[in-house]
């Protein structure tokens, strides 16, 4: 959740924290908080779309540090947003702030936005290293606190709610944990051990420092505001109580944290015999009468969120990690589809095992998703438009059982609904009577709050989402007034269909997508009535009975491709190859030759880096160094004969000599490591990033769909395929070359010798452009001159020579190979002169 201003309070009063050596124990890790934190804390570049190989190494190194210190992490991830809608306003506000952040970064300011494939990379690293992890059905705070008390260990997170939870073994704020192991001799000096230096918080320190009752801490959290209730509801209460100047000197806080001072002072002055209900009634006397009943409900719910931690209806994570996992799959009453239909057992198990994503859960439970803006050009259409065809299949599978269940329960009314709701536009009309007013009011409030905090906004995604700024951005409007309408409508389920108008049940057949349109966050309603009725789309109930071949067929059909076209690729690259093909076909703006070349080179380069690292670790080239060039060429020919291994990058690298690997590594390494600098003359090219953002959007939705199909094919591994900095630098360099093909050829070898890596590059290029007939979808980028050269006056003889050469070139243009003109714009009448160079 998050308590407004409490993190800043702890930062200003670090006496509440105690130094601690963390080793030889278990810890419960807030997974969503952790993977966000690591990307920024490890200074991984995000401006160009994500350097996932660097991020993977950082995540693996962090878990390795824990292992070195004898620490066993149990990572717990959040599931879907709660059905009561309390996260909607916060989520929309973060999506709006993300757009503003991307706008700031693309205009030359510093900033950090988490790339969209970071979650997939994080999950894959945990699976590789066998790190215990699980996903909750909804928000994981209660499960994390309960598991930590059962395991008798602390919690690692940056969520300020854990300052209030009664954690017996303390709380370790992520900002105060150093993940670099420190080696130390034991007290008797007979043994050595490693530990992580950190600072531990315990709720008892907070209570004793400010002379508070333990039972009053939930009231402190509620008055400051959290996801259950907004602090603006208590504006009259804050106006009444003014902290004396003498009393305020006891607190080391800036003036902007007066709310924290006021609440602490008020709680300190209350009699010890007053219970929570008595204090609540006293607070409610300051609430306007027309809001008293609603605020009381939110107040009670917020307090229960901290006091009754162990009473949640969800997974028993302790049993899941240590005993029979099958007995831990308890289902919350709210954990069902939008129409109230229970999920099949395989789906529940897949959620708990972390095999599905919160994106999938939000679709099937809430019929609502928020697509976070990538590093892209805000003047172009959203990058997620390129992957709409995949989301359409994903939504159809998730909603099919829902629609059938709804049809069976009230077929007559649904027929009337279907006849009046055909297509997205008519569906919007059906929904507007009960929803447009709520959404309009909500979006206006979100935009107003973001404008109010515009001057204080930092250019960092994590800072934007901090407690302090959310506190500053609050207005006097009541969140309850918005959620009271919006939540009651959004929480409507099919099981309540008999008691609500049919127009409200229209949402059972649609999915709401919040995504960027220009620089605004817009909602689109996707009607899937016709799609879910198609017999070739399976539902969740029949998914587990489908064969792997059938699931692979569904996956390929979603891309509009045939499984036969994927034979040259190993299984681990089949989905990625489908993504690349669809990217070339659907990208807008269209992919250039330089961009497809950069992608192929970068994937080969990352494979080379992995192979060189393995050879260095084994102190030898796997016995391949003595292989002659002729034998190496024969080995590659053998790979080509085996169609399933033709494009296996790792296998080709294993069969390559170290000289070839080092040559390519040396040529490309500068593009991999060097972060380009920008100025007025050399500006950031957002359009270039936009094209690769579309590829990442396709990969993200392909991963979601593949996971829902129970992974008939391995998911693409972003750490082995995508490095945004490398792609940006390579594309910019190739686009400026007069002869990019010669430049690419020289990358693979300084000498004109046979190189399996160069042959692999040519084969891949030929596959995409010729065998898949994608060359017609590509465009030739306009050559960009890197220097401003002074114009020189030419003599008559020079002009005559140039004129003759130009005429000769024009005569031979018909017979000139098309590749020679590939890097020049057809509309540039001077482009032929550049060929003379």
């Amino acid at each position: 959740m998050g308590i407004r201003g409490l993190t800043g309070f702890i930062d200003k009063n670090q006496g509440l924290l105690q130094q601690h050596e963390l080793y030889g124990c278990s810890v419960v890790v807030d997974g969503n908080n952790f993977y966000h934190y690591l990307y920024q804390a490890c200074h991984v570049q995000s401006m160009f779309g994500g350097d996932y190989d660097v991020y993977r190494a950082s995540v693996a190194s962090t878990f390795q540090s824990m292992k070195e210190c004898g620490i066993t992490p149990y990572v717990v991830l959040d599931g879907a947003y709660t059905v009561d809608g309390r996260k909607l306003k916060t989520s929309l506000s973060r999506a709006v702030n993300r757009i503003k952040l991307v706008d700031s970064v693309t205009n030359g300011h510093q900033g950090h936005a988490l790339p969209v494939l970071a979650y997939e990379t994080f999950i894959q690293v945990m699976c590789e290293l066998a790190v215990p992890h699980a996903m909750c059905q909804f928000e994981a705070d209660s499960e994390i606190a309960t598991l930590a008390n059962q395991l008798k260990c602390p919690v690692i997170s940056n969520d300020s709610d854990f300052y209030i939870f009664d954690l017996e073994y303390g709380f370790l704020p992520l900002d105060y944990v150093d993940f670099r192991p420190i080696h130390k001799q034991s007290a008797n000096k007979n043994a050595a051990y490693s530990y992580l230096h950190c600072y531990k918080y315990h709720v008892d320190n907070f209570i004793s420092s400010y002379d508070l009752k333990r039972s009053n801490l939930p009231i402190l959290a509620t008055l400051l505001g959290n996801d259950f209730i907004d602090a603006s509801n208590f504006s009259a209460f804050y106006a009444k109580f003014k902290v004396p100047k003498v009393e305020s000197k006891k607190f080391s806080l800036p003036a902007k944290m007066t709310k924290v001072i006021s609440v602490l002072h008020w709680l300190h002055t209350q009699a010890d015999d007053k219970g929570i209900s008595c204090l609540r009634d006293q607070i409610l006397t300051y609430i306007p009468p027309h809001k008293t009943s609603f605020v009381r409900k939110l107040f009670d719910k917020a307090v229960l969120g901290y006091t009754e931690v162990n009473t949640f209806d969800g997974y028993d994570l302790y049993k899941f990690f240590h005993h029979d996992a099958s007995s831990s799959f308890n289902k919350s009453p709210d954990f069902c589809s939008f129409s109230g239909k229970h999920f099949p057992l395989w789906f529940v198990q897949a959620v708990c095992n972390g095999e599905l994503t919160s994106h999938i859960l939000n679709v099937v439970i809430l019929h609502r998703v928020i697509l976070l803006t990538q590093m892209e050009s805000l003047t172009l259409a959203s990058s997620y438009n390129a992957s709409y065809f995949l989301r359409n299949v994903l939504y159809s599978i998730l909603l099919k059982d829902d629609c059938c269940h709804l049809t069976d329960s009230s077929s007559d009314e649904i027929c009337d609904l279907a006849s009046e709701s055909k297509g997205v536009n008519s569906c919007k009309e059906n929904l507007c009577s009960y929803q447009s007013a709520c959404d309009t009011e909500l979006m206006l409030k979100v935009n107003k709050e973001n404008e109010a905090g515009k001057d204080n906004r930092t250019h960092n995604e994590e800072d934007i989402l901090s407690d302090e700024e959310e506190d500053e951005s609050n207005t006097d409007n009541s969140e309850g007034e918005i959620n009271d309408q919006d939540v009651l409508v959004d929480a409507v389920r099919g099981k309540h269909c008999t008691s609500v108008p049919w127009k409200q049940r229209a949402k059972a057949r649609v999915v709401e997508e919040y995504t960027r349109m220009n620089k605004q966050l817009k909602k689109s309603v996707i009607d899937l009535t016709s799609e879910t009725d198609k017999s070739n789309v399976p539902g969740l109930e029949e998914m587990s009975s489908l064969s792997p071949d059938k699931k692979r067929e569904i996956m390929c059909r979603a891309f509009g491709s045939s499984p036969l076209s994927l034979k040259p690729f190993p299984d681990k690259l089949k989905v990625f190859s489908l993504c690349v093909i669809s990217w070339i076909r659907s990208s807008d703006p269209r992919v250039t030759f330089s961009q497809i070349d950069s992608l192929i080179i970068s994937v080969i380069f990352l494979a080379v880096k992995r192979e060189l690292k393995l050879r260095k670790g084994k102190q030898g080239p796997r016995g391949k160094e003595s292989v002659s060039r002729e034998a190496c060429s024969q080995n590659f020919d053998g790979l080509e004969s085996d169609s399933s291994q033709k494009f296996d990058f790792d296998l080709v690298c294993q069969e390559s000599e170290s000289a070839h690997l080092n040559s390519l590594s040396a040529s490309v390494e500068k593009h991999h490591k060097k972060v380009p600098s920008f100025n007025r003359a050399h500006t950031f090219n957002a359009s270039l990033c936009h094209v690769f953002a579309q590829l990442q959007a396709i990969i993200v939705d392909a991963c979601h769909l593949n996971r829902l199909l129970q992974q008939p094919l391995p998911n693409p591994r972003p750490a082995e395929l995508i490095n945004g900095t490398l792609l940006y630098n390579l594309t910019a360099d190739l686009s400026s070359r007069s002869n990019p093909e010669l430049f690419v050829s020289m990358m693979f070898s300084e000498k004109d010798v046979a190189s399996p890596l160069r042959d692999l590059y040519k084969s891949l290029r030929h596959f995409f452009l010729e065998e898949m007939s994608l060359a017609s979808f590509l465009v030739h980028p306009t050559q960009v001159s890197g220097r401003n050269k002074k114009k020189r006056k030419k003599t008559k003889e020079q002009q005559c020579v140039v004129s003759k050469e130009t005429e000769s070139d024009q005569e031979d243009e018909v017979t000139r190979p098309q590749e020679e003109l590939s890097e020049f714009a057809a509309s540039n009448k001077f482009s032929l002169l550049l060929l003379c160079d």
Side-chain angles (χ1 to χ4, degrees):
M1 292 184 287
I3 302 168
R4 315 299 186 250
L6 190 54
T7 297
F9 174 85
I10 301 296
D11 290 340
K12 295 295 182 180
N13 294 269
Q14 295 188 12
L16 297 172
L17 304 174
Q18 297 178 343
Q19 293 193 55
H20 180 68
E21 294 181 358
L22 187 66
Y23 69 95
C25 64
S26 299
V27 292
V28 180
V29 181
D30 182 350
N32 286 66
N33 222 278
F34 194 52
Y35 83 84
H36 279 80
Y37 168 83
L38 284 181
Y39 202 100
Q40 182 189 1
C42 296
H43 305 289
V44 185
Q45 184 60 243
S46 63
M47 185 176 184
F48 309 101
D51 294 354
Y52 298 108
D53 57 323
V54 181
Y55 179 55
R56 183 213 169 279
S58 300
V59 175
S61 175
T62 302
F63 283 122
Q64 184 61 37
S65 296
M66 292 184 181
K67 183 178 180 181
E68 184 177 342
C69 298
I71 301 170
T72 303
Y74 294 91
V75 181
V76 183
L77 300 157
D78 287 334
Y81 293 138
T82 53
V83 297
D84 58 14
R86 67 174 184 263
K87 293 287 291 187
L88 179 58
K89 176 194 166 189
T90 301
S91 302
L92 292 177
S93 178
R94 291 178 176 179
V96 171
N97 281 335
R98 172 112 171 181
I99 295 174
K100 296 179 183 295
L101 173 63
V102 171
D103 185 33
S104 174
V105 174
T106 53
N107 283 283
H109 301 283
Q110 295 294 321
H112 171 84
L114 187 75
V116 294
L117 288 170
Y119 178 83
E120 183 68 28
T121 304
F122 181 73
I123 292 294
Q124 290 177 0
V125 174
M126 288 197 297
C127 292
E128 289 175 24
L129 302 179
V131 176
H133 64 279
M135 174 180 282
C136 296
Q137 296 167 354
F138 296 102
E139 196 169 76
D141 288 359
S142 296
E143 282 93 333
I144 289 174
T146 300
L147 179 63
N149 288 337
Q150 291 174 328
L151 293 175
K152 299 181 180 180
C153 68
V155 170
I156 294 182
S157 175
N158 259 346
D159 192 335
S160 53
D161 283 302
F162 293 108
Y163 289 118
I164 302 299
F165 284 124
D166 190 4
L167 299 172
E168 297 178 21
Y169 294 86
F171 168 52
L172 307 176
L174 266 172
D175 290 332
Y176 295 94
V177 179
D178 188 348
F179 288 99
R180 294 170 296 183
I182 299 175
H183 305 286
K184 184 179 180 179
Q185 291 287 335
S186 60
N188 54 15
K189 296 184 179 181
N190 292 330
Y193 67 97
S194 300
Y195 69 92
L196 302 182
H197 181 265
C198 60
Y199 285 83
K200 179 186 284 189
Y201 165 90
H202 200 282
V203 69
D204 289 341
N205 296 338
F206 190 89
I207 293 171
S208 59
S209 297
Y210 298 102
D211 194 19
L212 299 174
K213 290 177 59 180
R214 185 183 298 269
S215 60
N216 287 345
L217 290 181
I219 297 180
L220 168 68
T222 302
L223 288 175
L224 293 178
N226 52 34
D227 288 340
F228 286 102
I229 189 168
D230 197 276
S232 60
N233 287 292
F234 307 108
S235 56
F237 171 83
Y238 289 122
K240 177 67 178 179
F241 291 96
K242 300 294 183 181
V243 182
K245 291 184 178 179
V246 176
E247 188 71 19
S248 64
K249 291 181 180 179
K250 297 180 181 180
F251 303 96
S252 176
L253 291 174
K256 67 179 181 179
M257 293 186 181
T258 54
K259 287 183 180 179
V260 181
I261 301 175
S262 299
V263 176
L264 286 173
H265 173 64
W266 180 76
L267 290 174
H268 180 70
T269 58
Q270 299 304 305
D272 293 339
D273 58 347
K274 289 185 177 181
I276 292 179
S277 59
C278 181
L279 295 175
R280 178 203 61 193
D281 293 339
Q282 186 175 341
I283 294 169
L284 290 177
T285 59
Y286 300 96
I287 306 301
H290 68 281
K291 295 174 56 178
T292 301
S293 176
F294 183 74
V295 173
R296 180 186 289 108
K297 293 178 182 178
L298 294 180
F299 189 98
D300 291 341
K301 195 170 185 178
V303 171
L304 288 176
Y306 297 104
T307 57
E308 298 185 4
V309 177
N310 300 326
T311 61
F312 60 86
D313 294 317
Y315 300 136
D316 188 335
L317 294 180
Y318 185 81
K319 287 185 178 179
F320 175 78
F321 286 124
H322 291 89
H323 300 289
D324 183 13
S326 61
S327 64
S328 65
F329 298 126
N330 301 321
K331 291 182 288 188
S332 168
D334 291 330
F335 191 66
C336 55
S337 68
F338 186 85
S339 67
K341 184 177 177 60
H342 293 295
F343 297 125
L345 180 60
W346 76 265
F347 188 88
V348 178
Q349 293 175 342
V351 171
C352 190
N353 291 329
E355 296 169 1
L356 300 180
T357 63
S358 59
H359 178 91
I360 292 175
L361 295 182
N362 286 327
V363 173
V364 72
I365 296 175
L366 303 175
H367 287 201
R368 182 201 306 128
V369 289
I370 301 175
L371 305 176
L372 296 179
T373 304
Q374 300 188 68
M375 292 303 304
E376 58 189 60
S377 173
L378 301 187
T379 61
L380 301 172
S382 172
S383 58
Y384 291 99
N385 288 1
S387 60
Y388 171 76
F389 66 98
L390 287 175
R391 294 198 303 279
N392 193 41
V393 177
L394 178 75
Y395 299 160
S396 298
I397 295 174
L398 290 172
L399 269 62
K400 183 170 185 179
D401 293 345
D402 232 10
C403 292
C404 293
H405 178 70
L406 189 61
T407 302
D408 294 340
S409 61
S410 53
S411 58
D412 294 337
E413 292 185 54
I414 296 305
C415 291
D416 296 336
L417 173 63
S419 64
E420 297 187 29
S421 178
K422 297 179 180 179
V424 174
N425 294 330
S426 60
C427 188
K428 286 182 180 180
E429 294 175 1
N430 291 332
L431 292 171
C432 70
S433 61
Y434 76 95
Q435 198 171 28
S436 60
C438 306
D439 286 335
T440 300
E441 185 179 3
L442 181 59
M443 291 304 296
L444 286 175
K445 178 175 175 60
V446 169
N447 289 327
K448 182 178 179 181
E449 291 179 353
N450 282 283
E451 289 299 326
K454 184 176 181 180
D455 295 336
N456 299 322
R457 185 176 295 108
T458 59
H459 303 300
N460 184 284
E461 187 177 23
E462 279 65 32
D463 292 340
I464 282 177
L465 307 184
S466 66
D467 298 329
E468 289 76 11
E469 188 189 72
E470 288 185 290
D471 183 59
E472 292 176 7
S473 66
N474 287 330
T475 63
D476 293 334
N477 295 332
S478 170
E479 180 187 11
E481 293 178 353
I482 295 173
N483 283 343
D484 192 23
Q485 304 172 34
D486 190 67
V487 169
L488 289 178
V489 172
D490 275 346
V492 170
R493 296 293 186 88
K495 57 187 176 183
H496 304 139
C497 282
T498 57
S499 61
V500 297
W502 65 267
K503 288 184 178 181
Q504 295 183 4
R505 284 183 280 121
K507 190 179 177 183
R509 291 184 177 272
V510 302
V511 173
E512 296 175 357
E513 277 192 350
Y514 289 88
T515 187
R516 179 188 64 82
M517 182 178 292
N518 296 325
K519 295 184 181 182
Q520 302 295 325
L521 185 67
K522 299 293 183 180
K523 183 185 75 172
S524 59
V525 181
I526 302 174
D527 184 7
L528 297 165
T529 302
S530 60
E531 294 293 334
T532 54
D533 292 336
K534 294 180 179 179
S535 58
N536 58 353
V537 178
L540 297 181
E541 291 289 348
E542 59 184 303
M543 186 66 67
S544 58
S545 62
L546 297 178
S547 66
D549 290 339
K550 181 63 177 178
K551 294 174 184 177
R552 282 192 289 268
E553 180 186 344
I554 295 172
M555 189 71 184
C556 293
R557 193 169 64 236
F559 283 90
S561 299
S562 168
L564 296 176
S565 62
L566 305 179
K567 278 190 173 182
F569 293 91
D571 285 347
K572 62 182 179 181
L573 293 175
K574 289 186 187 298
V575 176
F576 177 68
S577 64
L578 288 172
C579 293
V580 174
I581 293 171
S582 297
W583 171 58
I584 297 174
R585 287 174 175 168
S586 61
S587 182
D588 184 19
R590 293 159 64 185
V591 181
T592 66
F593 280 91
S594 295
Q595 287 166 340
I596 189 64
D597 286 340
S598 299
L599 180 64
I600 296 173
I601 294 171
S602 65
V603 174
I604 297 175
F605 168 77
L606 293 175
V608 167
K609 293 286 288 183
R610 294 192 301 273
E611 176 63 20
L612 288 175
K613 184 177 180 180
L614 289 173
R615 292 189 182 186
K616 183 178 180 180
K618 293 184 178 182
Q619 300 297 324
R622 301 190 183 187
K624 298 293 181 183
E625 189 63 34
S626 60
V627 179
S628 64
R629 293 175 181 174
E630 293 77 7
C632 185
S633 178
Q634 291 175 3
N635 287 335
F636 186 72
D637 292 339
L639 291 179
E640 289 186 331
S641 62
D642 185 356
S643 60
S644 64
Q645 298 180 342
K646 180 178 180 181
F647 295 141
D648 190 333
F649 301 141
D650 293 327
L651 193 55
V652 173
C653 290
Q654 292 177 23
E655 299 294 335
S656 300
E657 294 183 11
S658 293
H660 294 140
L661 301 178
N662 290 322
S663 177
L664 180 63
S665 178
S667 301
V668 184
E669 186 65 34
K670 60 181 180 180
H671 298 90
H672 180 244
K673 285 189 174 181
K674 184 179 179 181
V675 178
S677 58
F678 303 104
N679 49 43
R680 292 183 178 180
H682 182 211
T683 59
F684 174 69
N685 189 345
S687 298
L688 191 156
C689 287
H690 192 96
V691 175
F692 289 114
Q694 293 178 96
L695 174 61
Q696 292 201 49
I698 295 174
I699 295 176
V700 166
D701 287 322
C703 289
H704 291 154
L705 179 58
N706 195 43
R707 286 185 177 275
L708 183 61
L709 294 171
Q710 300 178 311
Q711 298 198 55
L713 292 168
N715 261 353
R717 306 184 65 81
E720 298 180 0
L721 304 169
I722 303 292
N723 181 288
T725 303
L726 175 59
L727 289 172
Y728 186 94
N729 287 333
L730 266 178
T731 304
D733 195 357
L734 290 177
S735 300
S736 66
R737 298 282 175 175
S738 59
N739 194 337
E741 288 190 0
L742 178 60
F743 177 70
V744 169
S745 180
M746 293 178 61
M747 280 185 174
F748 290 96
S749 181
E750 296 181 357
K751 300 179 181 180
D752 188 16
V753 295
S755 169
L757 299 177
R758 183 167 56 186
D759 292 340
L760 175 61
Y761 159 76
K762 290 181 178 180
S763 298
L764 278 167
R765 201 175 192 272
H766 181 269
F767 172 82
F768 288 119
L769 303 188
E770 303 300 332
E771 294 183 28
M772 300 305 299
S773 302
L774 298 176
S776 60
F777 291 94
L778 301 178
V779 294
H780 306 291
T782 304
Q783 186 182 30
V784 180
S785 177
R787 300 177 180 177
N788 295 325
K789 298 181 179 180
K790 295 182 179 180
K791 295 182 179 180
R792 298 178 180 178
K793 294 183 179 180
K794 297 182 177 65
T795 62
K796 292 183 179 180
E797 293 180 356
Q798 290 174 326
Q799 292 177 358
C800 182
V801 170
V802 171
S803 177
K804 290 181 179 180
E805 290 178 348
T806 303
E807 292 175 359
S808 175
D809 288 339
Q810 291 176 346
E811 292 175 356
D812 295 340
E813 184 176 356
V814 177
T815 59
R816 187 186 302 274
Q818 183 66 28
E819 296 295 336
E820 192 173 352
L821 302 175
S822 62
E823 297 297 324
F824 299 89
S827 59
N828 184 1
K829 63 182 181 180
F830 298 106
S831 61
L832 292 175
L833 295 177
L834 298 174
L835 290 176
C836 299
D837 298 336

